[in-house]
Amino acid sequence: MPKNAGGGSISKKTLPLTGNDDDGSNIIFGDGKPKKRNKKSSTTAAQQDDTTNPPGQEAPKKPDTRALIGGASWTGKLPVNLLSEHCQKQKWGKPDYTMTKTSGGFLASVILRSTDPKTKEMVTLPPFVLPSAYRDIAAQSTAVEARHFAATYALFRVCSMRNVHMMLPPHYRDLWKGEFEASKKEDIKAGRAWMYEADPFAAKQSQDEAQAQKLRKRAEEEKKRSQEATQSVNINLASGLTGPASSKNGVKGWMQAPKLEMGKRNRAQVEDLIRRNAVWNLHGTEFPSSQIEDSIHNITSLGFRKSHVEEAIANCRDREEALEWLLIHVPEDDLPAWSLPEGYTAGISMASGNLKRDAVIARLAEAGYSIDLCTRNLDDCGGDEGRAAEILQRNLMSANEFNISALDLTDDESIETWKEEQETLRAIFGHHCTTSTRSVVEVSLQVEHLAECKLRIRRSTLYPKSPPILGIISSNIPAYIRLSATRQLLTYADSDLLGEPMIFNLVDWLENELPRVVENPGKLRDVTAAITGPSLSDDTKKHTHVKHRPTGKGWKSGTPESLELYNQWRSRQDSPRQQKMLAKRQNLPAWKQKEAITQAVEQNQVTIISGETGSGKSTQAVQFILDDMIQRQLGASANLICTQPRRISALGLADRVSDERCMVVGDEIGYAIRGESKIRPGHTRITFVTTGVLLRRLQTSGGRTDDVVAALADVSHVVIDEVHERSLDTDFLLVLLRDVLSKRRDLKVILMSATLDATVFEDYFKQSSSVGKVNIEGRTYPVQDIYLDDIVRSTGFVPRQQHQDHRNEDTRDHGSDVAKSIQNIGMNINYDLIASCVKYIDGQLDTEEGGILIFLPGVVEINRTLDAIRALPNMHPFPLHASLLPSEQRRVFPPPPHGRRKVIAATNVAETSITIEDIVAVIDCGKVKETSFDPQNNMVKLEEVWASRAACKQRRGRAGRVRAGKCYKLYTRNAEAKMAERPEPEIRRVPLEQLCLSVKAMGVEDISEFLKSALTPPESLAVGSAIELLRRMGALDNNEMTALGRHLSMIPADLRCGKLMVYGATFGCFESCLTIAAILTVKSPFVSPQNKRDESKAAHASFARNEGDLMCDLRAYNEWCSMKSCSNYRDLRSWCEQNFLSSQTMQDISSNRTQYLASLQEAGFLPPQYRPDTSTSLNAQSTNAALIRALIAGAFNPQLARIDFPDRKFAPSVSGTVELDPEARTIKFFNQENGRVFVHPSSTLFDAQGFVGSSVYMSYFGKMATSKVFIRELTPFNAYALLLFGGAITLDTLGRGLVVDGWLRLRGWARIGVLVSRLRTMLDDVLARKIEDPSLDVAGSEVVGAVRKLVEYDGMDR
């Protein structure tokens, strides 16, 4: 039908005719205005027309019908008469005419009917309507002309093979041979020749039978293709795995694979979450143009519609994500058979017990809306079906949910119009039109190739001012396609038909356009709201972050700000306090090199300053540079950043330099460490920072050199102190700065150290920058070295017991008693020896003032040393290590109370940068804890190793700062000779996955190329292996860092332990995960004496509860903590002995927890004020064992094993047949690398006959090979833990299930794999927001809650 702005009014009335009224046909005609019925309505049209003439004028005479149609001279028959005669001859019913008034004129069509002589069934044909391309010629100026035009076209449809046109008036004869013939040729070319059969009723019957046959054949072919598929196509999801989905024993493997199910409520919740919040193509990657055509063809061949594939590719970054997008967005009733579970039927069965309500919901859902959406809307409308249907339709047309209160009340005129239109529809469509209620009518659609399709029309509140409520009912058309057609039909009604009865036009449009919509249903997103409810707009899903970059001031001399700084500086120089400080500074060796330092810095981009301990380089060099710039009236351009390896160094130097300049910290001199800073932007000229703080500033800038240059735009000098330590952060910083120097020629870099190998650094920088060197002589007092043998002689120390781990060194030069004592002391630190040494030093000093500094490798050793020292009289002991709060670290600087000796037990933080003025004696154990990699467990550990000679020299120098001192070395001269000259660069001592992750955290695109430019490049093959492991762990996605990866890059721990702690904080069980991470770093607290194996095993099992080794250790530690808080030391030790627990190991675990907690706070992952008893959200799930086991599995991935259970066996019992538990030896375990593996005998699961919580997989932390390959530190977990926290997910297109990480099979629905994959992506987004705001409580988010529920209940509804 042509577009009709005014709509069409259809009412059953007779049109009065003038002149010859000999056609005798029925007319169904309306004048375009709905009217109420009354007696006056019988007034003739002619009489009404007369009233419109002006008074005194006679109405013009109207031409009769013959003259109007054929012309004044026409004497033949008219088209209406010819059609009536033809129908009478064929024994058809009298033709009916429909009439519609439009803005273009009158439109009419003919409806033919025939009664089958045998069945007496009335058959009604659809109205004969010209194709839309020719509709413009159908509009006539009068109703009579429109009726004769329609009769002519109807004659052509049934008599086009005859010369009937010779009997028509000239105008209609031309139409017959012209436009009608052209239309016929087009229809025949399109395969619609049946439309022009002489017997249209027989043609319709044949067409219906052919269509039904075609549908049956199509269904059979679809079923055959599904059943006879011969190969499985692996489809990688966004997690990016490539690997086989089947093996040689594929069929058997699938039969034995665990079955995966997801409860309906859980699935609905996850789908709703994903459709509302999922972001596709997160990084805006453009789909490779060369792959688009092949990808469309490939994915379409899997059973998806081409239009949907094109939409997916437009929204996604690659083929894998496009397929995932399709499996999420294509409704279930239009998915390929391979992606559906076995025996799937569309829809969800309801059994609420309220049959009437269920029937209403079913009727609403027949239009294509989801059951859940229909249920919710019906409940919101108080059970009113009509209102619920109207809201569903309004929501379909709008992105926002419609407000129920916005519905207006129905008026009487709307009801009257509806009644009149129903009479007309029944007259037109006959038995194809049925009325179920006064407000609902259904019309069977006559659509080519689509059988059993109906349009349900429900009167809307404002009809016809608004469209009726429409629903396309068909079991053969997917729901979302019906909704798409409904949406387009409503758009047509809104634009062309409002204000007039429109149902006939809607049916006509739908019969013509529905095949096109089915073929190309449009974008899936347009009907998403109707399928699942309204979703967020794309704008709300994309996270954009505005980076605020500093701006450079430029090196301008004599600016007002610089002059003001110069005047302030000059006025301070004459103050007595400043003069006193200046006198002290002038006594330092560095002062003699003041001119050399400022000149070297001014003339070179890179300056290397080496100076002995006590020379003052750390405090003076930065002041020399600042004062020089102030005096040259460049003070406003000065902004020096001085990096320190440790927090205490940055704090101590900021205090010291501020004092020397007679200012307070936070003004001209400031500091910035993780979680604390004192600076005044624009006023602070020297800022002492930890190296990590500067790196994090650069990390947020991006990865390109230009980004780093921009991040340092306001910085004039970068000073790297203690560069000899070659920490990972320092090496990163050197690489970045070398690139920056080539683009910022005004930036100055100063490298400083006490034991600097200047040549190495000079060679590194001299190719791109000029390098200057300055050496500062030391000013320490003489220090006497006292070695172990001398200490033993002087103190008379005799070890209490003999150690088995004797020193592997030559003791022949010592006396027999001393040699024996040295051997008995052993390799470990002897705390009694340290206490004896402290007592001896105190006696030697007697009444002289002076403190003692003890160098120890770690916190545990510090605590044990302090315990030993506290037994000595008049001691004032302090710990000093990086885990202490800044306020606690500062306690080591003030002098002790009168009559007491200050004793400081410190790690290597006291080696450099900080100066404790009153130290006169140093005790050096010669040990340090360094990060190392244990290949046996694939574990990062802090190992206790011998320090380097350079480090020991630094320690020794601390004894000679204020007077001649002594260094007591708890090792022999032979041991010292075997020490390394310098410490091994950290880049050589850490596993490369941690290194690569840190590099990636800097925003570097190509990790391998970046590391090649390091001062000490690692092996490229090792870098590649590390990157692959990071991908499998979920830290990298292709070449992009995930939110999890960003977290891990900031936590100084083994990646698996770090991942576990991140998961713990995210899912609300942080304390439990922190404890497990500490246990893994130390060891299990359980001991197993040789003579009490059985008792030990029983004690072990009492904590295990069949949940694995780590859960057992966790429970033991938690109980130990409870005992510790309410018991004395003796009772606690007794409890440990009864339960075969090591009290010392428990202490070590507690210490490790403290260190990890401090590191997480320093990294900003936890708030500084975190306390377990107050941070309830972080620990709300700490007793959720199923969740903790899942998080352990996720942290250890890919160290997973599959559990193969034997065939089930049953035995009769009094209550019936019961299943028998399998014997432990019949349960087998398999991992990816080794095939079959075995549970280590020490594990609590060694004799297990079953596992808790439907567990079908096992995670392990350690693996060792002896006669067999054993796995240790085991934790069982279920299938959903594997899906949500395991490796990449792969689909099998035969519908057999999913494959995780390329080898772990799960029987189940492919859509579940896609849902889980997207849920994992959304979890990554939660972690990203946690990164941006560490204080954010994510444990209560919808995503975390959905993941937790799936894991806890193994996917089922509870």
Side-chain angles (χ1 to χ4, degrees):
M1 297 296 262
K3 290 190 174 182
N4 176 7
S9 177
I10 307 173
S11 57
K12 195 171 182 181
K13 295 186 179 182
T14 303
L15 180 69
L17 298 174
T18 59
N20 188 5
D21 189 11
D22 58 353
D23 49 42
S25 304
N26 294 340
I27 302 175
I28 302 170
F29 177 73
D31 62 0
K33 296 181 181 179
K35 301 175 182 178
K36 296 183 180 180
R37 298 190 176 206
N38 51 49
K39 295 180 180 180
K40 295 181 181 180
S41 63
S42 59
T43 307
T44 65
Q47 292 172 329
Q48 293 174 10
D49 288 342
D50 288 343
T51 63
T52 63
N53 296 325
Q57 293 186 17
E58 186 177 344
K61 186 177 182 180
K62 295 183 179 179
D64 62 14
T65 301
R66 184 175 300 276
L68 183 65
I69 301 304
S73 61
W74 181 253
T75 58
K77 295 183 179 180
L78 299 178
V80 169
N81 306 100
L82 291 171
L83 179 61
S84 296
E85 291 175 3
H86 181 78
C87 292
Q88 189 175 5
K89 291 177 182 178
Q90 301 297 325
K91 297 183 179 179
W92 299 340
K94 184 181 293 186
D96 281 341
Y97 291 82
T98 68
M99 187 70 66
T100 304
K101 184 178 181 181
T102 71
S103 59
F106 290 91
L107 291 173
S109 62
V110 174
I111 300 174
L112 298 183
R113 294 184 176 87
S114 175
T115 302
D116 190 310
K118 295 181 179 179
T119 63
K120 304 301 181 181
E121 181 184 358
M122 173 73 75
V123 179
T124 303
L125 297 179
F128 289 133
V129 180
L130 268 172
S132 56
Y134 297 91
R135 293 287 179 85
D136 56 336
I137 65 171
Q140 304 293 313
S141 57
T142 66
V144 174
E145 291 172 291
R147 188 170 56 146
H148 284 277
F149 180 94
T152 304
Y153 181 66
L155 276 170
F156 179 80
R157 287 282 295 269
V158 296
C159 300
S160 61
M161 68 296 297
R162 295 167 53 191
N163 291 326
V164 176
H165 65 282
M166 300 301 294
M167 295 183 287
L168 292 172
H171 172 65
Y172 298 95
R173 187 185 313 150
D174 294 340
L175 285 173
W176 186 291
K177 299 302 291 183
E179 286 83 352
F180 292 175
E181 282 288 350
S183 172
K184 177 180 178 181
K185 289 178 182 178
E186 292 177 7
D187 285 333
I188 292 174
K189 187 177 180 180
R192 295 189 291 270
W194 56 270
M195 293 172 58
Y196 299 90
E197 294 288 339
D199 187 348
F201 298 99
K204 180 179 183 301
Q205 183 179 0
S206 299
Q207 190 65 21
D208 290 345
E209 291 175 355
Q211 179 65 21
Q213 178 66 21
K214 186 180 294 185
L215 290 173
R216 286 194 295 269
K217 186 177 180 181
R218 184 186 302 171
E220 290 172 0
E221 289 176 353
E222 180 74 21
K223 184 178 180 181
K224 186 177 180 181
R225 277 197 305 269
S226 176
Q227 293 175 345
E228 295 182 356
T230 57
Q231 63 178 359
S232 174
V233 181
N234 292 332
I235 306 165
N236 298 333
L237 297 181
S239 40
L241 178 79
T242 57
S246 60
S247 64
K248 294 180 181 178
N249 299 319
V251 176
K252 182 179 179 182
W254 283 112
M255 292 296 292
Q256 295 178 343
K259 189 173 182 181
L260 186 69
E261 295 180 316
M262 184 182 285
K264 292 174 182 177
R265 288 196 299 273
N266 272 341
R267 180 159 61 86
Q269 179 189 5
V270 173
E271 287 177 347
D272 179 59
L273 264 176
I274 291 171
R275 290 196 177 104
R276 283 191 289 114
N277 302 318
V279 179
W280 301 88
N281 195 5
L282 179 62
H283 303 288
T285 306
E286 188 173 348
F287 200 102
S289 56
S290 60
Q291 301 176 17
I292 291 179
E293 188 174 344
D294 289 343
S295 296
I296 291 175
H297 174 74
N298 184 276
I299 301 177
T300 303
S301 67
L302 295 174
F304 293 99
R305 296 178 186 271
K306 184 177 179 181
S307 61
H308 295 165
V309 177
E310 291 170 346
E311 183 181 356
I313 285 177
N315 283 282
C316 300
R317 68 184 180 198
D318 53 29
R319 174 186 176 277
E320 287 71 35
E321 192 178 54
L323 183 62
E324 188 174 354
W325 190 96
L326 288 166
L327 287 170
I328 287 290
H329 286 87
V330 175
E332 295 168 11
D333 55 357
D334 199 31
L335 284 172
W338 60 265
S339 67
L340 299 170
E342 185 177 352
Y344 170 82
T345 54
I348 302 175
S349 60
M350 300 174 296
S352 67
N354 188 335
L355 296 181
K356 181 179 179 180
R357 177 175 179 274
D358 292 347
V360 171
I361 294 172
R363 281 196 299 271
L364 293 171
E366 279 184 322
Y369 302 101
S370 73
I371 290 286
D372 290 339
L373 199 60
C374 295
T375 303
R376 189 171 75 233
N377 278 279
L378 184 65
D379 292 341
D380 290 344
C381 295
D384 188 326
E385 181 178 353
R387 289 166 67 87
E390 188 158 2
I391 292 171
L392 285 169
Q393 179 164 293
R394 294 191 185 223
N395 288 339
L396 174 66
M397 299 300 292
S398 172
N400 301 315
E401 287 204 52
F402 182 74
N403 187 355
I404 301 171
S405 62
L407 294 179
D408 294 331
L409 296 175
T410 304
D411 58 19
D412 294 338
E413 185 177 353
S414 172
I415 297 174
E416 187 67 26
T417 302
W418 178 263
K419 289 180 180 179
E420 291 183 4
E421 192 169 11
Q422 301 317 298
E423 296 177 10
T424 301
L425 291 173
R426 283 192 291 272
I428 295 173
F429 296 112
H431 70 282
H432 291 291
C433 177
T434 58
T435 303
S436 56
T437 68
R438 287 182 299 175
S439 301
V440 179
V441 62
E442 291 183 358
V443 178
S444 296
L445 301 176
Q446 310 302 306
V447 182
E448 185 180 0
H449 306 307
L450 293 174
E452 300 179 5
C453 185
K454 295 188 296 185
L455 178 65
R456 177 179 294 159
I457 308 105
R458 184 188 300 269
R459 180 175 54 79
S460 62
T461 310
L462 301 177
Y463 182 81
K465 296 176 183 177
S466 67
I469 303 161
L470 305 175
I472 301 172
I473 316 300
S474 174
S475 60
N476 299 318
I477 305 175
Y480 82 99
I481 295 182
R482 287 183 275 131
L483 288 174
S484 180
T486 303
R487 186 183 176 91
Q488 295 181 47
L489 183 60
L490 289 167
T491 301
Y492 164 63
D494 275 332
S495 62
D496 290 349
L497 305 179
L498 293 184
E500 304 292 345
M502 63 186 77
I503 295 176
F504 175 79
N505 286 352
L506 293 175
V507 173
D508 179 59
W509 185 95
L510 194 59
E511 289 180 336
N512 283 280
E513 299 297 332
L514 187 57
R516 175 189 60 78
V517 177
V518 171
E519 182 66 25
N520 185 9
K523 292 186 177 182
L524 287 166
R525 290 194 175 205
D526 290 342
V527 292
T528 298
I531 299 171
T532 61
S535 63
L536 298 177
S537 66
D538 290 343
D539 295 338
T540 63
K541 302 173 188 175
K542 305 269 180 94
H543 303 291
T544 57
H545 308 288
V546 179
K547 297 178 180 178
H548 301 284
R549 292 179 171 174
T551 56
K553 297 180 180 179
W555 293 67
K556 295 180 180 179
S557 176
T559 63
E561 188 178 358
S562 295
L563 288 173
E564 183 180 356
L565 285 171
Y566 173 74
N567 293 330
Q568 292 174 355
W569 177 81
R570 284 296 311 158
S571 64
R572 288 199 307 267
Q573 302 309 304
D574 297 330
S575 67
R577 185 183 172 196
Q578 185 70 72
Q579 287 294 321
K580 183 179 179 181
M581 285 293 182
L582 196 59
K584 288 184 178 181
R585 291 177 60 194
Q586 289 172 349
N587 288 329
L588 293 169
W591 188 269
K592 299 175 183 178
Q593 299 295 328
K594 177 181 178 182
E595 295 300 325
I597 291 172
T598 55
Q599 197 169 35
V601 171
E602 183 180 354
Q603 295 175 357
N604 301 281
Q605 268 197 293
V606 179
T607 303
I608 301 172
I609 302 175
S610 57
E612 294 292 334
T613 299
S615 63
K617 64 183 182 307
S618 296
T619 57
Q620 302 308 307
V622 289
Q623 294 190 73
F624 294 159
I625 297 168
L626 177 59
D627 289 344
D628 178 65
M629 292 189 71
I630 290 175
Q631 291 179 73
R632 290 190 290 134
Q633 297 185 9
L634 289 168
S637 301
N639 184 10
L640 288 74
I641 292 183
C642 182
T643 70
Q644 296 295 324
R646 285 166 284 275
R647 292 186 304 165
I648 190 171
S649 302
L651 295 171
L653 285 170
D655 287 338
R656 180 75 175 268
V657 174
S658 294
D659 286 343
E660 290 184 356
R661 299 182 73 81
C662 298
M663 304 188 77
V664 296
V665 177
D667 192 5
E668 187 181 56
I669 310 299
Y671 66 83
I673 61 176
R674 171 62 71 173
E676 184 180 352
S677 66
K678 278 191 177 181
I679 57 174
R680 285 182 64 196
H683 292 81
T684 301
R685 303 299 167 188
I686 300 174
T687 308
F688 292 95
V689 302
T690 53
T691 312
V693 166
L694 179 56
L695 280 177
R696 275 184 283 274
R697 173 175 175 174
L698 304 182
Q699 180 177 335
T700 59
S701 68
R704 299 175 296 116
T705 303
D706 290 341
D707 296 327
V708 181
V709 170
L712 294 173
D714 64 337
V715 177
S716 60
H717 300 74
V718 176
V719 183
I720 306 177
D721 202 1
E722 310 303 344
V723 73
H724 74 281
E725 293 190 9
R726 297 293 306 279
S727 69
L728 196 64
D729 285 350
T730 299
D731 277 8
F732 280 153
L733 191 55
L734 291 177
V735 176
L736 292 169
L737 289 176
R738 189 175 70 164
D739 292 338
V740 170
L741 288 173
S742 63
K743 296 202 171 189
R744 257 202 70 185
R745 291 296 176 181
D746 62 331
L747 181 66
K748 307 292 184 178
V749 173
I750 299 96
L751 310 178
M752 299 195 302
S753 178
T755 58
L756 183 68
D757 185 358
T759 305
V760 173
F761 294 94
E762 183 181 7
D763 292 343
Y764 186 65
F765 282 99
K766 69 181 181 181
Q767 293 182 356
S768 59
S769 307
S770 58
V771 180
K773 293 188 290 185
V774 178
N775 184 59
I776 305 174
E777 296 296 330
R779 190 211 62 171
T780 56
Y781 292 93
V783 176
Q784 179 185 355
D785 292 328
I786 303 173
Y787 290 89
L788 180 61
D789 53 325
D790 298 322
I791 295 171
V792 172
R793 289 191 191 97
S794 301
T795 61
F797 177 75
V798 178
R800 287 189 294 181
Q801 63 180 28
Q802 177 143 348
H803 290 258
Q804 300 299 319
D805 51 346
H806 300 314
R807 294 172 183 262
N808 184 18
E809 58 180 72
D810 192 354
T811 58
R812 288 175 296 179
D813 295 338
H814 312 299
S816 59
D817 292 339
V818 173
K820 184 177 180 180
S821 294
I822 291 175
Q823 289 182 343
N824 288 341
I825 289 172
M827 297 289 289
N828 294 328
I829 297 172
N830 191 301
Y831 301 99
D832 293 332
L833 174 61
I834 294 174
S836 179
C837 191
V838 169
K839 183 178 180 181
Y840 173 78
I841 296 170
D842 182 56
Q844 289 291 303
L845 293 173
D846 196 15
T847 58
E848 295 182 41
E849 293 184 356
I852 302 171
L853 177 60
I854 308 171
F855 283 98
L856 294 156
V859 177
V860 174
E861 292 77 13
I862 288 174
N863 292 335
R864 296 184 68 177
T865 297
L866 294 177
D867 288 341
I869 291 173
R870 289 189 180 100
L872 301 176
N874 301 321
M875 295 297 152
H876 193 57
F878 289 104
L880 179 58
H881 52 81
S883 299
L884 294 174
L885 295 173
S887 58
E888 295 174 318
Q889 292 175 337
R890 291 192 182 100
R891 293 167 56 195
V892 303
F893 295 107
H898 180 70
R900 304 188 70 179
R901 179 88 54 199
K902 183 198 294 185
V903 181
I904 300 170
T907 59
N908 57 355
V909 300
E911 282 182 12
T912 56
S913 297
I914 68 166
T915 299
I916 305 171
E917 294 289 354
D918 54 353
I919 298 300
V920 297
V922 167
I923 300 175
D924 181 14
C925 70
K927 298 290 185 70
V928 67
K929 281 192 175 179
E930 285 187 347
T931 304
S932 64
F933 182 59
D934 182 355
Q936 183 178 2
N937 287 330
N938 189 29
M939 176 71 178
V940 179
K941 288 186 177 180
L942 277 175
E943 279 192 326
E944 186 180 294
V945 298
W946 287 109
S948 66
R949 289 200 294 275
C952 290
K953 183 180 178 182
Q954 290 279 75
R955 296 177 178 185
R956 175 183 182 274
R958 293 297 164 185
R961 297 300 301 273
V962 295
R963 49 165 280 186
K966 294 181 181 179
C967 180
Y968 294 83
K969 300 183 176 181
L970 303 185
Y971 46 87
T972 65
R973 291 174 178 83
N974 290 335
E976 187 178 52
K978 295 176 183 178
M979 290 178 180
E981 177 64 30
R982 297 182 184 280
E984 183 78 6
E986 196 174 20
I987 201 171
R988 298 280 196 182
R989 293 188 279 108
V990 297
L992 290 184
E993 56 267 17
Q994 188 86 49
L995 171 63
C996 293
L997 192 61
S998 299
V999 172
K1000 194 65 185 175
M1002 296 297 302
V1004 176
E1005 286 296 323
D1006 193 329
I1007 298 174
S1008 299
E1009 286 299 316
F1010 179 90
L1011 292 178
K1012 286 178 183 178
S1013 61
L1015 198 57
T1016 309
E1019 292 288 336
S1020 59
L1021 183 62
V1023 174
S1025 300
I1027 291 173
E1028 179 58 31
L1029 180 59
L1030 289 174
R1031 289 195 182 107
R1032 295 187 70 182
M1033 290 190 68
L1036 293 180
D1037 179 12
N1038 293 325
N1039 197 38
E1040 299 292 336
M1041 176 176 271
T1042 63
L1044 174 63
R1046 290 196 294 276
H1047 275 304
L1048 296 181
S1049 69
M1050 296 189 293
I1051 300 175
D1054 173 83
L1055 287 180
R1056 292 169 294 177
C1057 293
K1059 190 175 178 181
L1060 181 60
M1061 289 185 284
V1062 169
Y1063 279 161
T1066 304
F1067 286 89
C1069 49
F1070 173 69
E1071 284 292 316
S1072 296
C1073 292
L1074 176 65
T1075 300
I1076 294 171
I1079 291 169
L1080 291 169
T1081 306
V1082 183
K1083 61 180 180 179
S1084 172
F1086 286 94
V1087 294
S1088 182
Q1090 190 72 29
N1091 58 342
K1092 294 185 178 181
R1093 286 287 177 87
D1094 292 339
E1095 295 93 326
S1096 171
K1097 192 173 182 179
H1100 209 167
S1102 66
F1103 292 97
R1105 301 180 190 174
N1106 214 28
E1107 291 193 290
D1109 303 320
L1110 295 177
M1111 295 299 294
C1112 173
D1113 294 343
L1114 173 63
R1115 290 194 181 95
Y1117 177 82
N1118 288 340
E1119 195 161 338
W1120 177 80
C1121 289
S1122 299
M1123 291 288 296
K1124 185 180 178 182
S1125 63
C1126 61
S1127 304
N1128 57 40
Y1129 178 77
R1130 180 179 297 176
D1131 291 343
L1132 182 62
R1133 192 173 187 87
S1134 174
W1135 179 84
C1136 286
E1137 291 174 355
Q1138 291 173 9
N1139 289 282
F1140 294 87
L1141 291 165
S1142 167
S1143 183
Q1144 183 57 53
T1145 303
M1146 286 293 193
Q1147 294 284 358
D1148 293 346
I1149 292 170
S1150 179
S1151 175
N1152 259 277
R1153 286 180 86 261
T1154 302
Q1155 291 184 41
Y1156 275 146
L1157 195 59
S1159 297
L1160 290 168
Q1161 288 173 318
E1162 184 177 353
F1165 187 74
L1166 291 177
Q1169 69 276 11
Y1170 168 79
R1171 294 292 182 273
D1173 53 342
T1174 58
S1175 302
T1176 54
S1177 63
L1178 285 173
N1179 297 293
Q1181 300 292 325
S1182 282
T1183 58
N1184 190 334
L1187 177 62
I1188 296 172
R1189 286 188 285 106
L1191 300 183
I1192 292 172
F1196 291 1
N1197 179 59
Q1199 292 170 211
L1200 310 176
R1202 184 185 80 241
I1203 305 175
D1204 271 12
F1205 294 94
D1207 295 336
R1208 296 189 297 173
K1209 295 182 180 180
F1210 299 87
S1213 69
V1214 176
S1215 58
T1217 303
V1218 295
E1219 183 177 354
L1220 299 176
D1221 290 331
E1223 297 181 19
R1225 61 184 178 83
T1226 63
I1227 301 175
K1228 300 178 182 179
F1229 303 86
F1230 297 87
N1231 74 356
Q1232 190 175 18
E1233 299 84 11
N1234 308 101
R1236 188 175 180 184
V1237 292
F1238 298 84
V1239 175
H1240 194 273
S1242 65
S1243 172
T1244 59
L1245 299 176
F1246 181 70
D1247 296 325
Q1249 295 177 283
F1251 306 99
V1252 69
S1254 305
S1255 297
V1256 287
Y1257 298 103
M1258 190 78 71
S1259 68
Y1260 59 90
F1261 191 75
K1263 184 175 63 174
M1264 60 184 297
T1266 54
S1267 57
K1268 301 174 182 177
V1269 177
F1270 292 99
I1271 51 177
R1272 310 179 61 165
E1273 293 90 28
L1274 306 180
T1275 305
F1277 61 96
N1278 61 30
Y1280 270 92
L1282 174 70
L1283 273 179
L1284 287 160
F1285 300 106
I1289 303 170
T1290 307
L1291 303 184
D1292 177 80
T1293 55
L1294 292 182
R1296 294 178 296 189
L1298 316 168
V1299 181
V1300 179
D1301 211 12
W1303 70 286
L1304 294 168
R1305 293 184 179 91
L1306 287 165
R1307 286 184 296 133
W1309 188 6
R1311 194 181 189 119
I1312 293 177
V1314 183
L1315 291 173
V1316 170
S1317 178
R1318 296 313 303 180
L1319 196 59
R1320 284 163 58 167
T1321 303
M1322 293 168 65
L1323 178 61
D1324 194 65
D1325 183 62
V1326 170
L1327 294 175
R1329 285 186 276 120
K1330 177 75 172 175
I1331 279 255
E1332 295 166 5
D1333 182 7
S1335 63
L1336 184 66
D1337 179 13
V1338 298
S1341 75
E1342 283 187 281
V1343 174
V1344 171
V1347 171
R1348 185 167 57 233
K1349 187 177 179 183
L1350 288 173
V1351 167
E1352 188 172 356
Y1353 301 120
D1354 201 20
M1356 302 310 294
D1357 297 327
R1358 292 290 173 90

